[in-house]
Amino acid sequence: MEIYRVTKDSPEWLFKAYDYVRTDAFVFGQNIGIEREFGHDEPKENANFIVIIDDNKPLAGCNITYPKPDTARIGRVCVIREKQKSGVGHILIEEAEKWIKEKGFKHIAITSQDRAAGFYKKCGYLDSDKDPSEFEPGRKPMTPEEKAEKLRTSGFICVVVEKWLD
């Protein structure tokens, strides 16, 4: 198993590997529209991804951003459908935490689908009452009515889980 830290200077195939994992996990696995999944990506020059590849096949990936001076955010965490619940997600989060810690950050927020919060709790994260918009520039807080509609139409809402590193 190879773990790659992807930045703006990484080879293009690593960006494509991450896109493949996102497409499998979110577009095919959760029926999220392709435009919705990729329509708001940050510019390549801001890239900080982790990609896990095994036997020349992309398995998992996540994006790391730094929305506040003291906080790193892990987002777009995804594992291909055939490898979900195999432990590769835990490896992915551990590697992201390691890179974040090396950069000197102690606080991590993950914005996630509410249905994935249990996975993050197993990784040592705690529920937060913060709104995901606090960690996602350009995103507006949702009203209770918007949250109810989102839950009705997509089956999930976004939540925040947090962890403080030693």
Side-chain angles (χ1 to χ4, degrees):
M1 185 175 301
E2 300 87 35
I3 300 172
Y4 295 91
R5 293 177 177 185
V6 183
T7 65
K8 66 179 181 168
D9 299 320
S10 295
E12 188 64 27
W13 65 268
L14 284 168
F15 287 87
K16 292 180 186 306
Y18 181 49
D19 288 349
Y20 171 84
V21 175
R22 288 174 62 187
T23 301
D24 184 81
F26 295 127
V27 177
F28 291 109
Q30 297 182 20
N31 205 29
I32 294 173
I34 191 85
E35 183 179 355
R36 184 169 164 220
E37 177 57 29
F38 292 98
H40 305 287
D41 282 357
E42 290 197 29
K44 186 176 177 179
E45 56 267 9
N46 295 341
N48 286 289
F49 306 138
I50 302 288
V51 176
I52 298 178
I53 297 177
D54 190 38
D55 195 24
N56 292 310
K57 295 180 180 95
L59 301 183
C62 68
N63 181 21
I64 302 170
T65 57
Y66 302 94
K68 297 180 175 190
D70 61 343
T71 302
R73 174 186 164 264
I74 301 173
R76 307 313 303 152
V77 176
C78 47
V79 176
I80 62 169
R81 290 171 290 165
E82 71 181 71
K83 291 294 184 177
Q84 291 175 0
K85 300 187 188 298
S86 71
V88 74
H90 288 277
I91 295 168
L92 178 68
I93 296 300
E94 287 172 2
E95 185 62 29
E97 290 174 357
K98 182 178 171 185
W99 196 11
I100 289 165
K101 191 172 185 176
E102 287 172 12
K103 290 187 175 216
F105 289 82
K106 302 261 186 233
H107 179 239
I108 300 173
I110 298 178
T111 55
S112 167
Q113 297 173 9
D114 58 345
R115 58 189 175 202
F119 164 74
Y120 296 112
K121 287 179 186 175
K122 290 178 185 174
C123 294
Y125 287 79
L126 303 172
D127 288 327
S128 173
D129 61 357
K130 295 176 182 163
D131 191 278
S133 63
E134 188 175 328
F135 304 101
E136 297 178 22
R139 181 178 181 157
K140 296 177 184 167
M142 294 176 78
T143 65
E145 295 80 17
E146 290 170 327
K147 285 181 182 179
E149 178 64 11
K150 168 87 171 169
L151 186 59
R152 186 186 69 74
T153 59
S154 68
F156 66 87
I157 57 172
C158 291
V159 297
V160 175
V161 292
E162 298 178 280
K163 186 177 197 177
W164 286 263
L165 303 174
D166 298 331

